[in-house]
Amino acid sequence: MTTTLDPSVRIGKAAVAAVGLLALATGALESVVTPTLPLLQRELDMSPAEGALLSIVLLITGALITPIAGKFGDRYGGKLVLVRLMALVSAGGLISALAPNLPVLLAGQVLQGAMVGALPLSFILMRKHLPAGESKVAIGLVSGLFVGGGMAGTLMAGPVAEGLSRHWMFALPTIVVIAATALVGKLFPPDPPGRSDGGGIDWPGLALLCGTLVTLMLVLALAPDLAAAQPVVLGGLVVLLAAFVTGWIIVERRVASPMVDLRMLARPAVWKSCVLTFVICVGTATPVYLVPQLLALPSDAYGFGASATAIGFFLLPGTIAATLAGPIAGIGARRFGARFVVTAGVVLLVAGLLGLALVHTAVWQVVAGKALIALANGLCVTAMVTSTATSVDQNDTGIATSLVLVTRVLGFAVGVQFSGALLTASIPAGSDVPAESAFVTSFVMAAAVTTLSLFVIRTMSKGAKE
């Protein structure tokens, strides 16, 4: 649907910059746990199972809150919902910063998970207050800054935690989130509520989706240990997962106001973006997890013995590439269409994965491969989100983009858990160093999975050129 922009409510560059700063800060806050998980396990006396729970709880709560945030943003206005959502995120960041033990830290992470819903709300604001052409570039910029913030969080978490304390690695990005939220509230005009379907929150659907995500993570995390020792338990988890998925689909198809409108998922532009996002993020998650592991392995094996600070430095080129990918993808989609940008991103992603599989004997090879993958992932995800956000009715922007972003979270979680399972299974008895072949196999499998996305890309429309 084509909408006429009211000149009186058009925003300026400062407002777009405020949303970009918010995306950068939330991306950083989202990513600080992963590189410092061993440190947190030591300081909080966590078991490996508790560490795994801490590493996925934000992803799970983010996947649950995102569809609700997008739906409420479409219904009540993006600014109102975004500011309230970021108040929860800020509270979670402060709780995590002050947490004296694991239960309190988990509570903070649960609240922080609401940050994943910030992106579809930001897209609602961009479309409401900018012309169509400018909104594509702005959405690309915001998406790129969120990705760049995630890389920046990975970069700074180790030095801050080692130089100051684990408390400050949560506190610093939280302070920026609070400031950026205040700027958004001041610089954006009140946006009128959109369409309302008159329904409330779909609590049964929310509960079933929660059960689905938790069970999926348990299956992926425990499969290597349970497959041989307790296959009956693993089989029971798989059956439970299937029951949760079936029940959720039934509820979402029948409830008057579903949490996730599956009719939206039936639209070709949306389901193709979701499939592509999932496949590409599974492939991207492999190097996100494996590259730091490879850099940290002892140099007398086949690693490089890098410290947390050194690893952050080695990932800096990837940070820059991921940050640039957002605006590049937005401009590329505007001039050449989304299909061209996604195809180019997939080709670069496969090249980077195969490059890491074939050559990883020098640091520069690993750094170059990771930077290429970060650029490719940013191009793909940003182009797909931008295409989806601008291919549906304006009142459906939040719902459609939230589906893509939930798929991104799921793909990343599946990719990380699967890569970790492969490494665990390859560790010889009496050793704590996985076989080098596990890294090669993981990179090759990720490249093969990513290549499959080209079959879906062929069916995409080229996309309008502005």
Side-chain angles (χ1 to χ4, degrees):
M1 180 182 74
T2 302
T3 58
T4 302
L5 186 72
D6 183 353
S8 65
V9 297
R10 179 170 177 171
I11 58 174
K13 293 181 180 179
V16 176
V19 176
L21 179 63
L22 184 61
L24 186 69
T26 52
L29 186 59
E30 180 190 45
S31 63
V32 296
V33 167
T34 300
T36 57
L37 188 58
L39 181 148
L40 292 171
Q41 287 177 303
R42 292 194 303 270
E43 292 197 1
L44 298 177
D45 193 24
M46 293 192 299
S47 67
E50 291 170 334
L53 175 62
L54 179 62
S55 67
I56 65 174
V57 66
L58 188 147
L59 292 175
I60 292 175
T61 55
L64 292 172
I65 200 70
T66 299
I68 298 176
K71 182 177 180 179
F72 279 16
D74 286 331
R75 184 187 300 177
Y76 302 117
K79 175 185 173 180
L80 175 66
V81 179
L82 177 61
V83 170
R84 292 185 178 182
L85 197 66
M86 299 319 296
L88 289 178
V89 174
S90 300
L94 293 176
I95 290 173
S96 297
L98 299 173
N101 51 44
L102 178 60
V104 177
L105 181 56
L106 285 173
Q109 291 296 291
V110 168
L111 292 177
Q112 281 182 220
M115 72 177 66
V116 184
L119 276 182
L121 294 171
S122 300
F123 302 153
I124 292 172
L125 291 177
M126 296 299 103
R127 289 198 69 190
K128 281 188 175 181
H129 300 296
L130 288 173
E134 292 182 24
S135 68
K136 282 191 174 184
V137 178
I139 289 173
L141 175 65
V142 171
S143 299
L145 286 173
F146 181 79
V147 174
M151 296 296 292
T154 302
L155 181 67
M156 68 89 174
V160 170
E162 293 173 348
L164 297 175
S165 73
R166 63 178 172 85
H167 305 286
W168 280 104
M169 73 179 188
F170 294 108
L172 292 177
T174 300
I175 292 171
V176 181
V177 168
I178 294 172
T181 302
L183 287 174
V184 170
K186 179 179 180 181
L187 296 174
F188 275 85
D191 47 345
R195 182 190 61 202
S196 175
D197 55 17
I201 296 178
D202 175 21
W203 293 114
L206 180 63
L208 287 168
L209 182 58
C210 179
T212 298
L213 294 174
V214 171
T215 307
L216 175 62
M217 293 301 104
L218 287 175
V219 169
L220 292 172
L222 300 178
D225 296 328
L226 295 181
Q230 301 182 40
V232 175
V233 175
L234 180 60
L237 286 174
V238 172
V239 171
L240 180 61
L241 175 62
F244 274 128
V245 172
T246 303
W248 179 71
I249 292 174
I250 292 174
V251 168
E252 296 305 281
R253 288 175 62 90
R254 294 183 178 181
V255 72
S257 180
M259 183 184 70
V260 176
D261 190 349
L262 296 181
R263 293 171 298 179
M264 178 72 67
L265 190 60
R267 299 183 184 183
V270 177
W271 74 256
K272 289 177 184 178
S273 290
C274 288
V275 170
L276 287 171
T277 300
F278 180 82
V279 172
I280 290 170
C281 286
V282 168
T284 304
T286 299
V288 168
Y289 174 77
L290 292 181
V291 165
Q293 303 288 331
L294 181 60
L295 292 170
L297 283 173
S299 55
D300 57 357
Y302 54 88
F304 304 96
S307 65
T309 301
I311 290 173
F313 176 76
F314 293 146
L315 294 178
L316 180 59
T319 305
I320 298 172
T323 303
L324 294 176
I328 291 173
I331 295 171
R334 181 180 178 183
R335 297 189 62 182
F336 305 109
R339 189 173 75 174
F340 174 86
V341 177
V342 176
T343 302
V346 168
V347 171
L348 291 176
L349 181 55
V350 172
L353 289 167
L354 292 178
L356 285 175
L358 294 174
V359 287
H360 49 263
T361 56
V363 170
W364 73 265
Q365 296 168 346
V366 179
V367 171
K370 182 64 177 66
L372 184 62
I373 290 168
L375 174 64
N377 178 63
L379 290 174
C380 292
V381 174
T382 303
M384 286 183 291
V385 170
T386 303
S387 175
T388 304
T390 55
S391 65
V392 298
D393 187 83
Q394 182 171 308
N395 286 332
D396 291 327
T397 302
I399 299 174
T401 54
S402 66
L403 284 170
V404 176
L405 293 171
V406 168
T407 307
R408 170 184 171 269
V409 171
L410 288 175
F412 184 83
V414 169
V416 167
Q417 293 283 4
F418 185 72
S419 299
L422 284 179
L423 281 194
T424 301
S426 72
I427 298 177
S431 172
D432 57 358
V433 178
E436 183 179 4
S437 60
F439 286 89
V440 176
T441 301
S442 296
F443 289 133
V444 171
M445 290 182 65
V449 170
T450 305
T451 302
L452 295 176
S453 64
L454 292 173
F455 294 101
V456 180
I457 295 173
R458 289 183 60 189
T459 67
M460 293 176 61
S461 62
K462 293 183 178 180
K465 302 174 188 177
E466 299 293 339

